[in-house]
Amino acid sequence: MAWAAPRRPHHGSARAQRLVELVEAVQHDKNTHIEVELKAAGVVVLNAGGDILLVRELGAAGQMEKAGLWHIPSGSIEAGENPEDAAVREAFEETGLRVTLTRFLGAYLGRFPDGVFILRHVWLAQPTPGQTLQPVFAHEVAEARYVNRAEFDALYAAGKIRMYQTGLFYADALRERART
């Protein structure tokens, strides 16, 4: 099964208006607050053909379930670090590329199987020209390379894309790029 982006409400639609009403109704209720324990940041880098830059995990001690899975360059925001700096740092560590953040794509809320929430901050980014893909953290990343849409869909169907949200990041980046 190929990955397909969910339909999102258009601004001004009845569904979007209802969502706004619900958010306004619950934003002042402490019982509806979601405690987010983990925060991460990452980048979507697209080449001229719209292929997405992904990294393949080696799987670290205690995280071997990640071994062989693909995702965007991303990782945890360190104590005292802002999300933008974390995204740029993670891109360099996992790909060897220096990048410039060009557009904030969004903050995506996810949940791990154990129920812990994570908030992922993601930007569209452009690498500085003339660099070579070479992961700096070779003890974490097996490889970094661009993947076209058909290959992304095949990896997703095979369960080789690490998170469902990776498909959202890709779809949002392509949509944003088409606007500019």
Side-chain angles (χ1 to χ4, degrees):
M1 162 176 50
W3 187 89
R7 290 189 51 135
R8 294 186 179 193
H10 296 293
H11 182 69
S13 70
R15 184 174 177 206
Q17 182 57 39
R18 179 67 181 135
L19 181 59
V20 168
E21 290 168 3
L22 288 170
V23 168
E24 289 174 351
V26 300
Q27 69 181 347
H28 300 290
D29 183 350
K30 68 179 180 179
N31 294 320
T32 59
H33 173 72
I34 297 172
E35 186 64 37
V36 178
E37 296 179 33
L38 303 173
K39 295 180 178 88
V43 298
V44 175
V45 177
L46 302 174
N47 66 14
D51 303 338
I52 186 171
L53 178 60
L54 296 178
V55 297
R56 186 169 53 87
E57 292 265 359
L58 279 174
Q63 298 181 332
M64 290 311 293
E65 70 279 359
K66 294 180 182 179
L69 299 181
W70 294 88
H71 61 89
I72 64 168
S74 61
S76 297
I77 298 172
E78 296 175 359
E81 187 177 35
N82 71 49
E84 294 92 338
D85 290 343
V88 170
R89 175 183 52 76
E90 287 289 342
F92 180 71
E93 290 173 357
E94 295 187 354
T95 69
L97 299 180
R98 299 284 182 193
V99 300
T100 300
L101 305 180
T102 58
R103 186 78 160 173
F104 182 64
L105 292 176
Y108 302 76
L109 183 63
R111 182 174 20 194
F112 289 108
D114 63 3
V116 173
F117 284 98
I118 183 167
L119 186 62
R120 295 181 177 99
H121 303 80
V122 180
W123 285 264
L124 191 56
Q126 184 68 40
T128 303
Q131 301 178 86
T132 303
L133 282 172
Q134 182 64 48
V136 173
F137 279 25
H139 59 283
E140 292 180 8
V141 176
E143 69 178 301
R145 67 181 174 89
Y146 287 92
V147 173
N148 66 34
R149 188 64 206 213
E151 186 176 4
F152 181 91
D153 290 343
L155 288 167
Y156 184 85
K160 295 295 184 183
I161 298 294
R162 188 169 126 204
M163 307 173 276
Y164 167 78
Q165 289 178 336
T166 302
L168 292 175
F169 306 153
Y170 193 11
D172 288 351
L174 289 171
R175 191 171 18 260
E176 189 57 41
R177 186 163 151 185
R179 283 189 218 172
T180 58

